[in-house]
Amino acid sequence: MELGDCMVLKLMLASMAAFATRAAPLVAALPQSKNFVAGAAGEMDMKPSPIEPSWVVAGAPVARLAEHSRGQDDAALTALWDCTAGEFHWHFGWDETVMILEGEVHITTEDGVERLLCAGDVAYFAGGTWATWRIDRYVRKVAFCRKPFPKPLTMAYRLRNLVRQGGAQGIAA
């Protein structure tokens, strides 16, 4: 076998290996990274996430959770969550933005605001608040959670922004 034939064979083997890598399941082909996390929602391992029994108002809702990713400082979390029919109060320990992926949920906030959230809707719940969730059949959501900063730290950031911007526009948030 000549040198040129050897190079052609190596290129063919490299191409076959690259094709095999692309054809392999995504989980096996992707390296783990703390800076980037990706995965198909339908392939995430949903685990039981029972609702606090004293929060249940009606029915027997069964909730599940799959953690997608967590910030390196543990102050942020992204997860999938689903739940069967039932009604319950929910306490938001963290700021939480949700996007409904499937189904719907009737929300009543602690200050009386009522809203139906359906697939494609996005909503924000401030940490430290309550809302009543009524699910008639099923709901699935992605949740983006962030631990709120303590008030003194929030004020320090706002003050820093004020100084950096050179005016009162940074304090309004």
Side-chain angles (χ1 to χ4, degrees), residues 33-155:
S33 171
K34 291 184 180 182
N35 299 323
F36 175 74
V37 179
E43 296 176 6
M44 294 179 67
D45 185 23
M46 301 295 287
K47 296 179 180 169
S49 180
I51 296 166
E52 165 60 42
S54 66
W55 295 358
V56 176
V57 175
V62 175
R64 300 180 308 161
L65 178 76
E67 184 175 311
H68 173 268
S69 54
R70 184 177 288 268
Q72 292 178 2
D73 61 359
D74 279 337
L77 168 76
T78 302
L80 288 180
W81 182 88
D82 70 0
C83 190
T84 60
E87 184 175 354
F88 50 89
H89 302 296
W90 190 262
H91 178 261
F92 293 89
W94 295 23
D95 291 341
E96 183 172 331
T97 300
V98 302
M99 180 174 203
I100 305 300
L101 300 174
E102 183 181 343
E104 60 186 36
V105 57
H106 298 266
I107 301 290
T108 305
T109 63
E110 61 186 324
D111 57 358
V113 173
E114 294 182 29
R115 177 76 192 261
L116 174 65
L117 299 177
C118 302
D121 288 343
V122 177
Y124 168 79
F125 300 89
T129 62
W130 286 85
T132 300
W133 286 56
R134 191 186 90 225
I135 302 164
D136 294 332
R137 290 185 196 97
Y138 173 80
V139 70
R140 181 177 176 95
K141 70 177 182 178
V142 61
F144 306 96
C145 304
R146 184 184 66 83
K147 288 182 186 175
F149 286 120
K151 294 285 184 199
L153 189 55
T154 301
M155 292 306 295

Side-chain angles (χ1 to χ4, degrees), residues 4-36:
D5 292 337
C6 209
M7 288 299 284
V8 169
L9 184 59
K10 286 181 181 179
L11 283 172
M12 287 176 55
L13 287 173
S15 294
M16 289 171 49
F19 176 78
T21 301
R22 285 192 304 264
L26 190 57
V27 174
L30 294 176
Q32 295 298 318
S33 171
K34 291 184 180 182
N35 299 323
F36 175 74

